[in-house]
Amino acid sequence: MPSTKRFQHVIETPKPGEWELSGYEAAMPITEKSNPLTRDLDKADAGKIVQLLGQCDAEIFQEEGQAMPAYQRLYSESVLTTMLQVAGKVQEVLKEPDEGLVVLSGGGTSGRMAFLMSVSFNQLMTGLGQKPLYTYLIAGGDRSVVASREGKEDSALHGIEELKKVAAGKKRVIVIGISAGLSAPFVAGQMDYCMDNTAVFLPVLVGFNPVNMARNDPIEDWSSTFRQVAERMQKMQEKQEAFVLNPAVGPEGLSGSSRMKGGSTTKILLETLLLAAHKTVDRGIAASPRCLLEILRTFERAHKVTYSQSSKIATLMKQVSTSLEKKGRVHLVGWQNLGIIAIMDGVECIHTFGADFRDIRGFLIGDHSDMFNQKAELTNQGPQFTFSQEDFLTSILPSLREIDTVIFIFTLDDNLTEVQTLVEQVKEKTSNIQALVHSTVGQSLPAPLKKLFPSIISIMWPLLFFEYEGNFVQKFQRELSTKWVLNTVSTGAHVLLGKILQNHMLDLHIGNSKLFWRALALLQRFSGQSKALCIESLLQAIHFPQPLTDEIRAAPISSHIQVAREKKQVIPVALVSLLSRCSIPTAQARVAAAPSVCEAVRNALAGPGRKRGAEPLEASRPAVQ
């Protein structure tokens, strides 16, 4: 499938792929499809995993193909035009900041990205002597930034209540709602509320599915589906009373794992349009397509620079996998905003891979007093909510073991004396230390610090001659680069541990309605059984040892999710039960006896009498309330 490239690119993007064909997994939205590039991800070694995930990340920058349907992409004229229109609306608020506000909102990864970007742009404004204009909302509040609380995004009313609080007294509020799959009720409610109150609010929806693929299931506490909300926004976009920014960037390298491309594209898209707004507002001119393209190319360059370190990324992946295999812990210790990226990566492993919160954890070194809306929410909340420098020194450092791995993430502009002191303290406990270091041409790591690390991923950036706002481009590049490295390492480590079947997360934690439906789709895909049988098996695995009654079967999805949150290995157990036609206790025993959850499923797939292949996934949802 040829593509007609209109722009000069920094990197070579993959050619338009099989996933763009109209018949490919037709019932699935793009963000839930499996990526043909990675269909054998579970058979890949560390080097190949880095290569494949790097190719998937490069798909972000693809232009439109000539396949039908032709999905709009990041570089499509329609997307660039909408970005400029939104940038213009942001400029209007920047010109009258006293009565205005820009709210970035989302659940899970999207909410953490909202947090990161609001912190960044408030730092930019403070540095210019301007009053900070940004705030963030994340489903479940500040605790969801540093801990996995994915279920909080299922309430539309919760989203509206939180929005009303932060917008009180403001006369012009731009609300940028982020939902990679166009699926989170938390965001849907906010967008609907904004459309009902356009005198004050301007809603901007960001996601990576076409609107006709937005989630269409009923929302338990709201009258509209997400798709209906998005369709209404499209109509209002004609009058610039709402905007939808939804370029397709292809399926995730790990099916449905929107923490990866979804999170990265959110950062690229919004930082590009917001930075363009800030760069041009003082000159009294509108942001231009050229300005957008210049910034987008710097993010392409970040991809090239990052994946030039592929062999060292693969080495780090193997080290992390070895620590986890030995029941060790992995600690990601990042300075300043790179610490936020570290926290995000660790938290997201919990629901993505069914990991324990202690397996991979991020820590932020540096002052974070002005970052959070409600810092009190994070005080004395227990070990799951520890993330600060003090937490690392008091809770982690004393108990470090040789089987643990600690990764230090910093730039050569950080306090290197502080870095060296902490590295020396850690090295007394474990020799498994690694560094991810960002520098600019002309900078070099001091020899005493360099010799402390057995291995260093050193990423050097070219000098950029920009005005103050433009200097943030390099900051954003470093953050994105760090995200790509950590996502690739933590994902690859779990692939090597046998947590992935083909390119599917088999042991994900069912923490919200999106993940419930994904679990059901996995059972259908690999068992080939009817929807009714798959629902029955899933509910049995969730509620065991309680027998399934008609009352339980008829309960709303939220009640099943509430029980599932406390359970482990629900999907592998349900799948083995389906494939082997055995009871839940027998399936649990088989999963426990296998070297990994995927081996347990492979054994069941290879069992006698197994029907080969799975029936196509149907578009309609099963009749679960």
Side-chain angles (χ1 to χ4, degrees):
M1 283 175 289
S3 62
T4 52
K5 291 190 177 179
R6 297 168 55 228
F7 303 109
Q8 187 174 355
H9 291 271
V10 175
I11 62 171
E12 187 62 39
T13 58
K15 291 179 180 177
E18 182 185 341
W19 65 267
E20 293 192 66
L21 297 173
S22 58
Y24 182 77
E25 297 182 356
M28 307 292 283
I30 293 170
T31 56
E32 294 290 323
K33 293 181 192 290
S34 61
N35 196 316
L37 286 173
T38 57
R39 57 167 53 107
D40 292 323
L41 188 67
D42 58 342
K43 298 174 185 172
D45 61 17
K48 186 68 173 176
I49 291 169
V50 177
Q51 179 192 338
L52 292 172
L53 295 182
Q55 288 175 346
C56 288
D57 286 331
E59 287 183 318
I60 293 170
F61 304 103
Q62 276 179 333
E63 293 188 35
E64 287 177 33
Q66 293 179 341
M68 294 300 290
Y71 298 115
Q72 60 174 358
R73 309 301 289 267
L74 186 59
Y75 281 98
S76 294
E77 189 173 342
S78 57
V79 172
L80 293 172
T81 298
T82 304
M83 289 172 72
L84 289 174
Q85 289 170 335
V86 174
K89 297 294 184 181
V90 171
Q91 286 184 326
E92 290 175 15
V93 175
L94 289 173
K95 289 171 185 173
E96 297 182 20
D98 291 340
E99 297 177 336
L101 186 68
V102 179
V103 181
L104 298 159
S105 179
T109 297
S110 298
R112 294 178 197 106
M113 273 297 165
F115 168 74
L116 173 67
M117 289 185 288
S118 72
V119 167
S120 292
F121 281 96
N122 282 339
Q123 288 171 343
L124 185 154
M125 296 189 76
T126 302
L128 290 169
Q130 299 170 353
K131 177 185 171 186
L133 195 66
Y134 291 83
T135 192
Y136 65 92
L137 292 172
I138 179 169
D142 281 348
R143 281 180 285 180
S144 297
V145 175
V146 301
S148 181
R149 291 155 55 83
E150 310 306 306
K152 298 295 182 180
E153 68 183 59
D154 275 344
S155 171
L157 289 176
H158 171 50
I160 294 169
E161 288 162 8
E162 294 301 302
L163 177 58
K164 286 179 179 178
K165 287 179 196 173
V166 298
K170 299 295 182 181
K171 292 187 177 178
R172 193 60 180 151
V173 182
I174 297 176
V175 183
I176 301 175
I178 310 162
S179 178
L182 302 186
S183 61
F186 181 80
V187 170
Q190 292 171 343
M191 298 291 98
D192 231 3
Y193 177 77
C194 290
M195 287 187 286
D196 289 339
N197 296 275
T198 54
V200 174
F201 294 95
L202 175 71
V204 179
L205 176 60
V206 175
F208 308 107
N209 281 321
V211 165
N212 67 354
M213 292 185 182
R215 190 164 155 195
N216 209 29
D217 306 305
I219 297 172
E220 286 187 16
D221 63 356
W222 200 243
S223 56
S224 301
T225 68
F226 202 115
R227 187 180 301 175
Q228 289 167 339
V229 171
E231 287 170 345
R232 184 183 174 199
M233 291 184 73
Q234 276 189 320
K235 289 176 184 172
M236 291 180 67
Q237 185 163 337
E238 295 169 11
K239 297 181 180 178
Q240 294 199 18
E241 292 179 337
F243 294 96
V244 180
L245 272 167
N246 60 330
V249 293
E252 296 286 356
L254 187 60
S255 301
S257 183
S258 56
R259 79 186 191 114
M260 300 174 76
K261 271 201 289 197
S264 300
T265 312
T266 296
K267 182 172 166 57
I268 291 165
L269 188 154
L270 288 177
E271 286 177 349
T272 297
L273 80 83
L274 293 173
L275 199 55
H278 280 271
K279 282 182 69 173
T280 53
V281 69
D282 291 335
R283 303 180 209 158
I285 59 173
S288 66
R290 180 180 174 182
C291 182
L292 293 182
L293 292 170
E294 282 178 355
I295 299 170
L296 286 173
R297 285 196 188 99
T298 66
F299 287 120
E300 281 196 38
R301 197 166 290 115
H303 182 280
K304 185 174 185 177
V305 171
T306 302
Y307 283 102
S308 70
Q309 300 290 316
S310 288
S311 62
K312 288 189 175 181
I313 296 171
T315 300
L316 179 57
M317 180 192 299
K318 287 186 280 190
Q319 173 61 54
V320 167
S321 181
T322 299
S323 273
L324 294 176
E325 188 175 23
K326 293 177 178 177
K327 307 301 179 188
R329 312 292 192 200
V330 178
H331 304 290
L332 313 172
V333 181
W335 267 254
Q336 312 305 330
N337 284 19
L338 299 184
I340 299 174
I341 303 289
I343 290 167
M344 290 170 64
D345 192 80
V347 168
E348 287 154 7
C349 289
I350 299 169
H351 66 271
T352 305
F353 305 110
D356 187 276
F357 76 89
R358 290 172 288 254
D359 286 353
I360 299 180
R361 300 177 72 181
F363 292 88
L364 190 160
I365 308 298
D367 181 25
H368 57 271
S369 56
D370 295 332
M371 290 184 178
F372 294 93
N373 289 338
Q374 300 288 334
K375 191 161 180 278
E377 283 191 16
L378 300 171
T379 307
N380 301 321
Q381 294 294 321
Q384 195 171 347
F385 300 96
T386 54
F387 69 93
S388 69
Q389 182 172 357
E390 182 184 358
D391 292 329
F392 183 80
L393 292 172
T394 58
S395 303
I396 304 299
L397 185 60
S399 57
L400 276 176
R401 301 162 296 167
E402 179 59 31
I403 58 173
D404 298 331
T405 293
V406 181
I407 304 170
F408 293 88
I409 307 158
F410 57 96
T411 77
L412 294 192
D413 298 321
D414 289 316
N415 183 337
L416 299 184
T417 303
E418 182 182 51
V419 174
Q420 184 169 333
T421 300
L422 189 53
V423 173
E424 288 170 344
Q425 288 175 289
V426 167
K427 199 157 187 181
E428 291 176 8
K429 298 281 190 174
T430 176
S431 60
N432 295 319
I433 61 171
Q434 307 275 343
L436 170 56
V437 184
H438 296 277
S439 61
T440 306
V441 170
Q443 290 182 315
S444 59
L445 194 62
L449 181 54
K450 186 175 182 178
K451 71 180 184 182
L452 291 173
F453 294 106
S455 178
I456 299 173
I457 298 175
S458 182
I459 299 181
M460 185 170 288
W461 300 94
L463 286 168
L464 293 177
F465 298 98
F466 285 136
E467 62 275 23
Y468 178 78
E469 294 94 331
N471 287 334
F472 273 72
V473 167
Q474 191 150 87
K475 175 180 177 298
F476 295 155
Q477 284 180 313
R478 290 171 171 181
E479 290 170 359
L480 181 62
S481 174
T482 299
K483 179 183 182 297
W484 274 330
V485 171
L486 296 184
N487 283 175
T488 299
V489 166
S490 58
T491 297
H494 284 94
V495 172
L496 296 175
L497 287 170
K499 288 272 192 175
I500 308 302
L501 187 61
Q502 296 173 4
N503 54 6
H504 296 278
M505 303 176 285
L506 206 57
D507 201 13
L508 62 85
H509 190 70
I510 303 175
N512 59 30
S513 56
K514 174 182 74 176
L515 298 176
F516 180 92
W517 292 120
R518 186 179 299 158
L520 190 58
L522 283 169
L523 297 187
Q524 288 178 253
R525 178 186 293 273
F526 287 107
S527 75
Q529 300 289 350
S530 69
K531 288 185 293 187
L533 271 176
C534 290
I535 291 170
E536 186 76 3
S537 184
L538 181 59
L539 295 185
Q540 284 176 345
I542 288 172
H543 290 280
F544 183 83
Q546 187 175 359
L548 276 190
T549 63
D550 288 342
E551 185 179 359
I552 291 175
R553 290 185 182 95
I557 287 176
S558 56
S559 66
H560 303 311
I561 293 166
Q562 197 169 353
V563 177
R565 283 194 196 112
E566 307 303 318
K567 299 288 182 75
K568 292 187 175 181
Q569 300 183 332
V570 168
I571 299 168
V573 166
L575 191 48
V576 169
S577 174
L578 274 169
L579 292 169
S580 303
R581 296 184 174 88
C582 66
S583 67
I584 294 298
T586 301
Q588 287 175 331
R590 291 180 182 180
V591 170
S596 68
V597 291
C598 287
E599 278 305 303
V601 172
R602 287 191 189 98
N603 291 339
L605 282 166
R610 268 290 305 131
K611 183 170 67 175
R612 299 292 172 189
E615 64 186 26
L617 294 171
E618 298 175 45
S620 58
R621 293 292 194 201
V624 175
Q625 296 299 310

